[in-house]
Amino acid sequence: MRYAMAIDTKKCVGCSDCVVACQTENNVPIGYARDWVAEMVAGTYPNVELEIRSERCNHCDNAPCVRCCPTGASHIIDGGIVKVTPEECIGCGACIQSCPYDARYSHPEGYVDKCTFCDHRVEDGLDPACVAVCPTKCMYFGDLDDPSSDVSEAMKNRNYKALAPEAGTDPQIFYLL
Amino acid sequence: MKTRRDFIKISALGTGGLAIAGGAYNWANGSELAEGMSAKAAGKNLKLNRFPTYCEVCFWKCAGWAHTNEKGNIIKIIGNDEDPHCNGRLCPRGTGGIGMYNDEDRLKTPLIRTTENGQQTFREASWDEAFELIAQKYQEIKQKYGAETIAGFFHGSPGSHLGHLLHAFGSHTEAHPSYAQCRGPREVAFAATYGSGVGSPEPTDIRDTRCLVLIGSHIGENMHNGQVQEMADAIDNGATIITVDPRFSTAASKSKFWLPIKPSTDLALLLAWINVIINEELYDKDFVEKNTYGFNELKEHVSKMTPEWAYGITTLEPALIRQTAHEMAAAAPSVIVHPGRHVTWYGDDTQRERAIAILNGLLGSWGRRGGFYFPEGMSLPKFPTPELPHPEWDWKDIHDKKYPLALLPVSNALVEASIPENNPKHLIKSWLVAGTNLPLTLPDKDQTLKAMQALEFLVVVDTMPMEITGYADVVLPECTYLERYDYIRSAPHREPNIALRMPATEPKYESKPAWWIAKQLGEKLGLQKYFPWKNIEEVLDWQLKKVGSSLEEMQRIGVKKFDRAFGAPYLVDGENFEFNTNSGKIELYSTEMQNAGFDPLPSFTQHEEPQQGFYRLIYGRTPAHTFSRTANNPNLVDLKPEPWLWINPKVASIWGIENGQYIWLKNQDGKITQFPIQVRVTERIRWDSVFMPHGFGHHNKRLTRAYGKGASDAELITNVKIDPVMGGTGMRSNFVTFLTEEPEMEVES
Amino acid sequence: MKEELLISGRMNPNIDPFLNIWHWHIPVYLFLGGLAAGILFFAAFYTITGREKEMPTTVKWATFIVPIALIVGLLALFLDLKHQLYFWRLYTTVRLQSPMSWGAWTLMLVTPLSIIWVATYMKEIVPGWKWPWKFLDRAEAFVIKHKVELAWILIVLAVILGIYTGILLSAFNARPLWNTSILGPLFLVSGLSTGAAAIIWMSRSHYERKIMSRIDILLIIIELFLVTHMIMGFLAGSEVKIASAMIFLGGQFTVSFWVFFVILGLVFPLILEILELRGFRIPVGIPAFLILFGGLVFRFIMVEAGQFTRYLY
C-alpha cells in the first residue's frame, strides 16, 4: 500500500482552500502552514503560460528526513506516510535541513511538524482535508498500488511531473499537466 | 475648523466586556455525528458536535456544518454535502470563517460617540443605554422630518431584520450597494431582454456547457463557489473556455482562447461577435424565429460592426474574433456568454449587458441545458404581522424619474440625497448601516464623507470595527453568523432548497444577533406588534412547518431539497414559452429601453483613456478574500496579508520599479493612496493597466491585522461614470501614476 | 520573464523567506568539535609513535582544552534544540543512517575518554594533586599502563569526530551548498589545522612548535586545495550547484568568505608560518589566532550560506 496524491494543474485555480482547510483540521497555529500554493508564470504578454500547484510534504519513498533523524521521531507508517512523533523529537532541525521542499517547520511547542496526509482521516476511510475541501476537485488521493483508486485513475493517460526529482527523494505527489 | 464627525481612529477603550470564549451551548440543539465519523483533530481523539449553518462571508451562502469541540469552541467549518450551492466543499473564505469567530479585534460592546478632553471618541455602553439613545433620536427625527428620512444601507442577513424594523417604523428608504455598485446593470439589461434578471446565484449551467465565454468575469479569482466547481467540471468534460480580459487571469490560463482586449472596448467586441453570427447565419434560426423580437432591427444595426471595425478598437485580430464566434456558435445552445457579476465599469454598462443578453439570445442559450437554466426557489410564507405602515415617500421617489428602469434602490442616489447642498426633493437625515463598509464600498469617497457629516444620526451594526464604524454615533456589535440564527436561506437553484443557520455556540463578548437587535429596538420604539414572536426560533419553526419541515428536522439535516413545482428547468421542445417582456418574446430590440428614452440597441462609445504616465486602474478579487470584510481574519490574512499591484515588466523597467517594492498611487484627480502597495512585476498584465485586488488599505487602527496593509482602490475611484439607465456607478475610468517616494499627505479625517 | 512565487502567503518562522533554523550554536559546536578532534588526533598520534617526551604540550597541556571544548560544544547543541526536555531520546537508539546519531554517540564516547586522558596528567599539571578515592589511583595506574591502547581508540574517534562534522552537513542533499563529499575531508583538515594552531600557541618548546608548524603548513595547503576543488566542483555542477558557488563569487558571502576565511584565516597565517620557519621573528599568537578565527568564521559562513541555498524558488 503506497499512499500518494495527484493534483490536476489544469483545474487548480490557486484559491488556497487547501491551506485553510488543513489549518482548521489539524490545528496548525496561525502564522504556520503545512501546505502552500505556488505559481509559475512564463512567457511575455500576451503569450503567457501559468501553472498553479498546491504543495506540501511529498511523503517521499526515499525520505531523507527519516534517514537523518537521530532519534527516530521521523518515521514512516503504513502506506508510506511520513510522520513525526512529538515526544521523540528533540527539535534538532536536521530533518528541516534535509527536506528539499522545505515542507517541515518548527512547531511553537518545540517539535517538528508537517503535513501528515491527515492520517487520522485516512484511517477512517476519508480523504485528507485538503483533498476533501478543494472546490475544483483537482486533488486525488489514494493507494497508488491499487489501479482502481482515485489517484491511479486520475493519472491514467495524463502527463505528470513531480517536484525536484533531481534531489533523489522519490516524491509521491504528482502534478498532472 | 473641526469637522462635526471625527473619524475615531484610536481605541481609547480597554477590552470591554467579558471575553466569553463561547460557553457550552444548549447541547440538545446540536446533532451528534453518526457512528464511526468521530473526527480526530490534531491526533487527539475528540468527539465533535456539529451545527448547521450557511456562510455569511459572501453572497453565495454555502450551507455547511460548524464543528465545535467539548469546550464549545468552533474549530472547523465544512460544507454540507446536500447543498447544491457548494456540494459539500466550501471555498477558502468559508473554511476560514472561524477566523471571523476567533478575531480578537471584533466589536465587543455597544459604543456611543462622546467627547473627552475635546477629542471625539467612543465610550462603551450597555445595550439598554444604546437602544434608549437610538429610540430617542429616531422619535425626534420622525417628529421633525418624518420616519422616511431614516435610510438603511444593508448587505447580507442583518438587512432582513433591520429592514423590517425600519418598515415597521415607517421607512422604506433602504438600499443595498450590491445593486448599483455591482450587478445592477445586468439585472436591468436581462430583465429588458428576457423579462427576468439574472439573479443570485447566477443560473449558469456551467457543468453541462460546451463553451463558456467569460467577458469580464474572473472565475477562479472570484470564488463564486458553485461556478468555480462547475468550471472544473466543464474542464473535465473538455468544454471550450473563451476568456476576454486585459489581464491573463486564472480563467484565461485555462482557456482555449484568451482575448487580451484593450480595456473599455468590450462592447465593440460583443457587437462584432453579433455581426459575425448574424452575417454568417450561425445563429439558432428556429429559436430566433420562434422566441425573439426585433431581429431585423438588430441585423441592420450591427451591419457595419465587423471584426475589422472591432480590430481597430479592441486590438483583437479579426481572425480571432471570427474564430471565437464560430466556436460559440458550434457549441450552441450549450453555450454561456457569462453576464458577469460586478459589471459597473464605464457608465454604459446596461447597454453592454444588453449586448451580452442579445448574444445569448441569438445563440439560444436561455433556458437550455449548458446555457442558462430556469431556477426555482422555495417560497416561505412571512410570519403574520399587522400591516406595515405606508410611508409618504420611499426610495423610488428619490430616483425614479432619474433612473426609471432601476428595479431596486440605487445606493449612490440615496447618498446624494443625504447632502443638503444637493437640494434633494427628499433629504435623508439618518442612516442605519449594517453589513457594508460604505467608505470602502462606495466610489467617490469624498461624497460619502460629506453625506455622513451632514447626517443627524448614524447607527452602524457590524461584527468588526470597519471604517464605517469610525463615523457612527452608535455602534452595535453583531455576533458572527456562527453564533446566531437568521432567516432560512431559500435561494433559487436547479431545484428548490432551503438551508438553516443556527448558532454553534453562544455569542462572544456582548455581541448579539441582528434579529434580537431589531426586536429590542422595535420594542423600545413601541413597535411590539410588528414583532409578535418570542424569539426567532418561533418564526423559523412556524415557517418550516408550513412547507412540510420543522426546526428540529432542519437542525438535524441542515439542507432540504424540494421538487420543482413550476415547470422544468429548461425550455421544452415544442412548448410555447411566454417571456415576461412587452412583446412576450426575447427582445433583441428592447421596447422597454426605448420607452424609457434609451437606445433600444447597444452602440459602442469611446471611453476615457489614460494620459501619458498614467495606467488604467483595474481592480478585482483575490480568492482568499471577500471585499474588505476579511482583511482582518487571522486565517485569511495568513493566506494573503496584503495585496500586490500588478505592473507589466516593460512599464516597471521604464519607471525603475523593482519586484517587491512599495509605491504609492496617485490618480488623475490628484488623490493619493494613504498607504503604499507592494509591486508584483508580472507578464500577466497589459502595459497600459495595473491590477490590484479590492478590499485592502484599511485605515481603522482597531483592525490590527488589516491596518495599513496595501492601498485601497476605493480611495482612487473618484471619476465615477453614472449609468443613465439605472444609476450604476462605473468605476473603471480611473487612472493612476506611481509615486516611489512617500508623499506628504494630510491626515485622514 | 519567468516568475516563480508562493501565492498563499506561507511565512513559517525560520523557514521563510529563507531557511534559518540553525543559528550560532551549530557553527560554534562544529568549530569546537573540530578543534577537539585536532588536538586529540595529535595527542594520540604522538603517544602512539612514542614521542610524548618531545611533544609535551601536544600530548599533555593542549588536551586540557578538549573536554572543555566538547562540553561547551555540547551545551551549545543543547541550547539549539527546540524540544529540550526530550534531548535524552538521542541516547535511546543508534541510527546508522543519521550522521547526527553518529555524532551524538561519538561525543558520548569521546568526552569521557578525553577526560580520562586529561586525568592521567592531573598530577603533573597540578602539583600535589590527590585523588579523593583509592580506586581512582588504581584506575589511573591502569590507564597510564594502557596509554597506547587508549591512544589508538582516541585517534580513531578523533578522525570520526573531525570528519563527521563535515559529513553531517554534506548528508543534507537538500542544501546544494553542503551536498558535496569534499565537505567531510575539508572539515577534518580544518579541524586538524585548528588543533595544530592551538598547540602551537600553547607550546613552550621551540622544537614542538617547529614540528607542528610544518604539519600546519601542509594542512593549510591541503585545505586551500580542497576549497578550490569544492568551488570548481560546484561550478561544473547543476544549476543549483552553480548558484551555490555564486554565493561566494559575487553573492552575499563573497567578502566574508574570501577576506575573513581564505585570506585572513588561511593564506596570511600560511605566509607567517613559512616566514617564521625561515627565521623571521613573528609573535606566535598571530598566525595561531588567525587560523582559529578562520576556522570559526568558515563554519559560520558554511552554516549560514548553506541554509540560503535550496532547490526550489
Side-chain angles (χ1 to χ4, degrees):
Chain A
M1 187 161 63
R2 169 71 247 189
Y3 286 122
M5 221 186 247
I7 301 179
D8 193 344
T9 60
K10 287 251 171 299
K11 296 203 293 190
C12 172
V13 293
C15 70
S16 312
D17 208 351
C18 43
V19 180
V20 200
C22 169
Q23 198 173 45
T24 57
E25 174 75 33
N26 293 296
N27 276 340
V28 180
I30 298 280
Y32 293 81
R34 287 189 177 184
D35 56 351
W36 57 93
V37 179
E39 180 181 309
M40 214 171 68
V41 181
T44 308
Y45 188 98
N47 302 308
V48 189
E49 271 172 28
L50 177 64
E51 184 181 279
I52 307 180
R53 300 183 301 260
S54 167
E55 300 180 359
R56 56 193 51 67
C57 163
N58 288 281
H59 297 273
C60 308
D61 242 358
N62 184 19
C65 52
V66 173
R67 263 209 314 277
C68 76
C69 176
T71 63
S74 267
H75 60 284
I76 303 190
I77 64 173
D78 262 352
I81 297 180
V82 178
K83 287 206 62 176
V84 177
T85 314
E87 306 81 47
E88 288 180 20
C89 174
I90 62 174
C92 70
C95 54
I96 295 179
Q97 299 286 4
S98 70
C99 178
Y101 310 101
D102 288 335
R104 289 170 169 250
Y105 59 88
S106 186
H107 193 278
E109 283 173 20
Y111 55 87
V112 169
D113 204 16
K114 67 179 192 68
C115 163
T116 59
F117 267 179
C118 283
D119 65 312
H120 61 279
R121 288 173 60 101
V122 175
E123 259 171 46
D124 286 339
L126 301 170
D127 278 334
C130 51
V131 177
V133 84
C134 176
T136 58
K137 298 198 281 287
C138 73
M139 298 175 70
Y140 307 94
F141 176 83
D143 182 1
L144 211 53
D145 291 335
D146 171 10
S148 66
S149 70
D150 283 346
V151 67
S152 306
E153 288 283 329
M155 288 169 69
K156 279 192 189 135
N157 303 323
R158 292 288 297 266
N159 284 332
Y160 56 85
K161 72 175 189 187
L163 293 179
E166 65 274 17
T169 56
D170 208 353
Q172 298 297 308
I173 295 190
F174 304 100
Y175 294 92
L176 308 178
L177 301 170
Chain B
M1 195 191 92
K2 198 164 176 137
T3 50
R4 240 202 83 233
R5 192 181 295 283
D6 281 351
F7 177 73
I8 297 175
K9 288 178 281 193
I10 300 167
S11 164
L13 312 159
T15 47
L18 284 170
I20 305 164
Y25 192 77
N26 183 357
W27 293 114
N29 284 338
S31 74
E32 299 273 329
L33 286 177
E35 289 284 320
M37 279 274 291
S38 59
K40 296 176 200 151
K44 302 184 193 98
N45 208 327
L46 282 175
K47 243 178 155 298
L48 295 176
N49 261 321
R50 59 177 205 171
F51 301 85
T53 186
Y54 61 85
C55 190
E56 181 78 6
V57 186
C58 92
F59 70 91
W60 210 263
K61 298 197 174 74
C62 300
W65 299 100
H67 290 244
T68 55
N69 62 11
E70 65 258 325
K71 289 206 209 87
N73 287 328
I74 303 174
I75 60 167
K76 71 177 178 186
I77 311 170
I78 295 189
N80 187 320
D81 288 323
E82 298 302 309
D83 181 28
H85 288 226
C86 71
N87 302 309
R89 293 160 186 262
L90 294 178
C91 83
R93 297 116 42 184
T95 313
I98 68 166
M100 261 188 182
Y101 167 72
N102 286 323
D103 196 342
E104 335 76 37
D105 292 334
R106 273 171 67 171
L107 291 172
K108 301 180 177 68
T109 69
L111 302 168
I112 296 180
R113 179 180 289 260
T114 183
T115 313
E116 261 171 43
N117 300 330
Q119 274 258 330
Q120 290 187 22
T121 184
F122 281 124
R123 68 174 170 83
E124 291 175 7
S126 66
W127 279 102
D128 207 51
E129 214 188 324
F131 287 144
E132 279 288 337
L133 176 60
I134 297 174
Q136 176 210 331
K137 280 297 210 180
Y138 276 7
Q139 297 289 20
E140 262 175 46
I141 292 174
K142 181 171 189 170
Q143 263 220 332
K144 279 202 279 191
Y145 312 104
E148 298 88 346
T149 58
I150 302 176
F153 288 84
F154 306 129
H155 184 88
S157 306
S160 42
H161 310 285
L162 297 166
H164 175 77
L165 171 70
L166 286 183
H167 286 201
F169 193 57
S171 164
H172 279 223
T173 317
E174 90 177 52
H176 295 238
S178 54
Y179 187 68
Q181 272 67 66
C182 189
R183 58 191 176 90
R186 76 163 193 206
E187 302 302 320
V188 173
F190 274 69
T193 314
Y194 295 100
S196 76
V198 179
S200 253
E202 290 81 1
T204 44
D205 212 13
I206 298 178
R207 72 178 180 206
D208 283 328
T209 194
R210 295 204 355 245
C211 179
L212 175 63
V213 182
L214 299 170
I215 176 160
S217 172
H218 52 342
I219 298 181
E221 275 150 299
N222 74 25
M223 271 311 288
H224 294 173
N225 200 348
Q227 298 196 6
V228 174
Q229 294 191 14
E230 294 196 13
M231 185 169 85
D233 289 336
I235 293 175
D236 266 342
N237 294 337
T240 302
I241 303 180
I242 299 171
T243 300
V244 181
D245 199 321
R247 202 172 57 91
F248 192 62
S249 62
T250 308
S253 73
K254 304 201 185 299
S255 304
K256 188 168 170 193
F257 296 99
W258 169 44
L259 282 64
I261 194 169
K262 178 169 169 185
S264 81
T265 61
D266 311 76
L267 192 43
L269 172 63
L270 289 161
L271 293 167
W273 273 338
I274 294 172
N275 170 295
V276 172
I277 288 176
I278 290 182
N279 283 349
E280 297 185 26
E281 303 197 349
L282 299 170
Y283 55 93
D284 190 339
K285 292 204 184 60
D286 286 329
F287 184 87
V288 168
E289 169 75 37
K290 207 167 119 183
N291 292 309
T292 69
Y293 165 89
F295 178 77
N296 293 324
E297 287 86 340
L298 174 68
K299 180 168 176 175
E300 166 65 37
H301 181 78
V302 301
S303 56
K304 295 218 176 41
M305 302 177 186
T306 60
E308 283 71 21
W309 162 83
Y311 173 46
I313 299 171
T314 61
T315 71
L316 296 171
E317 300 270 331
L320 184 58
I321 297 177
R322 287 205 166 81
Q323 197 179 12
T324 44
H326 294 164
E327 195 85 28
M328 280 185 249
S334 298
V335 58
I336 302 171
V337 183
H338 199 285
R341 176 106 190 152
H342 174 88
V343 290
T344 47
W345 300 353
Y346 304 105
D348 64 345
D349 312 297
T350 312
Q351 295 291 5
R352 188 187 66 252
E353 289 292 322
R354 275 270 303 142
I356 293 179
I358 290 170
L359 188 51
N360 278 305
L362 289 177
L363 293 167
S365 64
W366 191 259
R368 311 289 277 281
R369 181 178 288 277
F372 294 81
Y373 59 84
F374 296 133
E376 191 180 311
M378 194 68 201
S379 94
L380 292 159
K382 285 188 98 66
F383 195 86
T385 61
E387 198 185 323
L388 291 165
H390 293 279
E392 273 176 29
W393 54 269
D394 66 13
W395 60 268
K396 280 198 217 62
D397 295 288
I398 290 183
H399 60 66
D400 207 27
K401 297 240 174 7
K402 209 164 164 200
Y403 309 123
L405 292 181
L407 301 163
L408 290 178
V410 175
S411 35
N412 35 301
L414 266 66
V415 172
E416 275 166 28
S418 310
I419 301 175
E421 282 110 68
N422 290 344
N423 254 327
K425 195 164 109 206
H426 302 286
L427 179 63
I428 291 173
K429 302 300 287 180
S430 171
W431 287 359
L432 173 60
V433 182
T436 171
N437 189 12
L438 294 178
L440 267 68
T441 296
L442 299 168
D444 195 357
K445 194 163 159 197
D446 283 340
Q447 185 189 64
T448 313
L449 294 181
K450 206 166 167 195
M452 291 196 286
Q453 296 293 353
L455 294 175
E456 291 239 341
F457 195 60
L458 172 56
V459 179
V460 173
V461 177
D462 209 318
T463 58
M464 295 289 299
M466 288 289 167
E467 279 71 19
I468 182 73
T469 60
Y471 297 97
D473 292 303
V474 181
V475 179
L476 299 177
E478 188 184 13
C479 55
T480 67
Y481 66 101
L482 296 162
E483 300 148 295
R484 67 186 197 229
Y485 277 104
D486 266 311
Y487 287 129
I488 301 287
R489 176 201 87 187
S490 176
H493 214 272
R494 290 186 179 91
E495 36 190 353
N497 63 86
I498 56 175
L500 171 73
R501 171 183 290 160
M502 72 171 290
T505 183
E506 290 281 310
K508 267 193 180 181
Y509 317 116
E510 296 295 316
S511 62
K512 292 274 187 274
W515 65 260
W516 180 91
I517 295 176
K519 182 172 164 72
Q520 294 293 312
L521 197 42
E523 286 176 4
K524 274 273 193 289
L525 288 166
L527 303 169
Q528 292 86 319
K529 62 178 179 174
Y530 299 106
F531 299 87
W533 31 265
K534 203 167 76 252
N535 56 27
I536 196 174
E537 281 112 300
E538 196 186 315
V539 175
L540 294 173
D541 199 35
W542 182 89
Q543 286 187 307
L544 288 166
K545 291 214 163 78
K546 288 273 182 218
V547 295
S549 178
S550 70
L551 184 59
E552 186 269 329
E553 182 189 23
M554 290 305 289
Q555 284 171 344
R556 254 186 309 112
I557 61 176
V559 170
K560 189 176 169 95
K561 294 201 269 232
F562 296 86
D563 292 325
R564 288 181 72 106
F566 295 107
Y570 306 108
L571 291 171
V572 176
D573 275 336
E575 183 191 79
N576 280 330
F577 191 88
E578 173 126 351
F579 292 87
N580 192 15
T581 57
N582 289 339
S583 57
K585 296 201 191 276
I586 297 176
E587 297 207 347
L588 302 173
Y589 177 99
S590 171
T591 53
E592 189 182 40
M593 297 277 279
Q594 185 185 40
N595 294 342
F598 301 110
D599 285 338
L601 290 163
S603 300
F604 174 75
T605 46
Q606 188 81 5
H607 295 293
E608 286 160 36
E609 302 210 359
Q611 68 195 83
Q612 177 85 322
F614 280 75
Y615 305 89
R616 187 178 299 270
L617 176 66
I618 301 179
Y619 54 86
R621 302 278 171 253
T622 176
H625 284 283
T626 304
F627 317 136
S628 67
R629 62 169 47 169
T630 53
N632 207 54
N633 179 323
N635 296 72
L636 298 178
V637 166
D638 252 13
L639 282 190
K640 193 164 189 68
E642 59 178 321
W644 288 326
L645 180 74
W646 290 16
I647 298 185
N648 184 284
K650 291 190 179 68
V651 172
S653 81
I654 291 173
W655 282 79
I657 291 176
E658 282 171 19
N659 198 30
Q661 190 176 342
Y662 281 88
I663 61 174
W664 284 259
L665 300 173
K666 180 163 98 164
N667 79 352
Q668 72 284 343
D669 295 326
K671 264 278 188 266
I672 303 178
T673 56
Q674 189 175 356
F675 302 111
I677 184 170
Q678 193 173 34
V679 169
R680 173 182 167 180
V681 179
T682 174
E683 295 280 0
R684 292 176 65 182
I685 182 85
R686 278 174 73 96
W687 48 84
D688 59 5
S689 316
V690 294
F691 169 78
M692 64 189 272
H694 167 74
F696 292 91
H698 282 268
H699 60 83
N700 191 332
K701 284 211 176 79
R702 296 168 74 198
L703 296 166
T704 56
R705 270 175 290 271
Y707 175 76
K709 293 270 171 64
S712 162
D713 55 326
E715 285 181 286
L716 298 165
I717 297 174
T718 53
N719 183 16
V720 183
K721 304 307 244 194
I722 303 285
D723 188 337
V725 178
M726 47 65 62
T729 49
M731 305 189 216
R732 297 201 193 263
S733 290
N734 289 279
F735 315 105
V736 295
T737 186
F738 311 131
L739 301 173
T740 49
E741 303 286 323
E742 179 159 3
E744 287 181 24
M745 282 181 296
E746 283 174 28
V747 176
E748 153 78 27
S749 71
Chain C
M1 180 185 128
K2 190 152 184 260
E3 268 182 286
E4 198 151 350
L5 67 161
L6 295 186
I7 57 172
S8 72
R10 189 185 86 173
M11 198 47 75
N12 287 336
N14 295 126
I15 313 284
D16 302 298
F18 290 107
L19 188 61
N20 195 11
I21 194 99
W22 281 348
H23 308 290
W24 61 267
H25 316 82
I26 303 297
V28 164
Y29 158 71
L30 293 176
F31 170 72
L32 291 173
L35 177 68
I39 296 177
L40 270 185
F41 178 84
F42 290 120
F45 177 73
Y46 283 109
T47 306
I48 291 171
T49 54
R51 291 163 66 185
E52 303 121 303
K53 295 288 186 301
E54 299 155 34
M55 315 283 286
T57 314
T58 311
V59 162
K60 243 191 319 218
W61 304 99
T63 56
F64 264 84
I65 299 178
V66 174
I68 300 170
L70 288 176
I71 291 173
V72 171
L74 275 171
L75 191 62
L77 279 188
F78 178 74
L79 288 176
D80 172 66
L81 292 183
K82 299 208 169 33
H83 214 204
Q84 283 157 353
L85 288 175
Y86 294 88
F87 80 96
W88 51 272
R89 288 273 185 194
L90 271 176
Y91 299 107
T92 59
T93 169
V94 181
R95 301 191 69 80
L96 291 171
Q97 288 199 307
S98 162
M100 219 171 237
S101 189
W102 276 82
W105 286 107
T106 308
L107 281 174
M108 182 68 128
L109 290 175
V110 170
T111 313
L113 286 179
S114 66
I115 292 177
I116 291 175
W117 182 275
V118 170
T120 60
Y121 292 107
M122 283 306 285
K123 296 232 174 79
E124 294 184 45
I125 293 168
V126 180
W129 176 266
K130 280 208 181 45
W131 293 111
W133 294 289
K134 270 287 232 8
F135 83 90
L136 286 175
D137 287 314
R138 282 195 304 251
E140 189 193 22
F142 175 79
V143 173
I144 292 180
K145 205 163 94 161
H146 296 273
K147 214 38 160 334
V148 177
E149 283 89 334
L150 181 58
W152 272 110
I153 298 176
L154 275 180
I155 207 173
V156 170
L157 285 178
V159 171
I160 294 177
L161 184 61
I163 211 170
Y164 117 89
T165 55
I167 292 184
L168 177 72
L169 293 187
S170 68
F172 294 128
N173 57 339
R175 305 287 145 230
L177 181 68
W178 292 342
N179 191 16
T180 164
S181 45
I182 283 191
L183 219 57
L186 178 54
F187 271 58
L188 175 62
V189 172
S190 172
L192 291 176
S193 163
T194 49
I199 291 171
I200 291 173
W201 203 351
M202 286 180 71
S203 171
R204 303 222 183 92
S205 141
H206 181 77
Y207 170 73
E208 197 176 16
R209 283 208 296 270
K210 207 167 72 153
I211 302 279
M212 293 310 291
S213 288
R214 283 218 192 106
I215 294 177
D216 207 14
I217 289 170
L218 186 61
L219 288 174
I220 294 178
I221 292 174
I222 295 176
E223 239 184 295
L224 282 168
F225 169 75
L226 287 177
V227 165
T228 314
H229 197 59
M230 179 177 82
I231 295 187
M232 282 172 62
F234 282 148
L235 286 173
S238 62
E239 195 184 327
V240 283
K241 285 281 158 63
I242 295 178
S244 311
M246 294 317 286
I247 290 187
F248 299 136
L249 299 171
Q252 295 96 312
F253 289 91
T254 312
V255 171
S256 34
F257 185 78
W258 294 105
V259 172
F260 292 119
F261 172 51
V262 176
I263 294 178
L264 282 183
L266 290 180
V267 173
F268 194 44
L270 175 69
I271 294 173
L272 288 179
E273 281 192 348
I274 292 175
L275 289 179
E276 183 159 22
L277 284 182
R278 287 276 169 85
F280 289 87
R281 285 224 54 199
I282 292 172
V284 154
I286 297 182
F289 170 76
L290 286 176
I291 293 174
L292 289 169
F293 172 74
L296 184 62
V297 166
F298 173 58
R299 284 158 178 80
F300 262 97
I301 293 173
M302 287 308 283
V303 169
E304 281 276 317
Q307 293 179 87
F308 210 62
T309 57
R310 64 215 299 184
Y311 270 94
L312 298 167
Y313 318 121

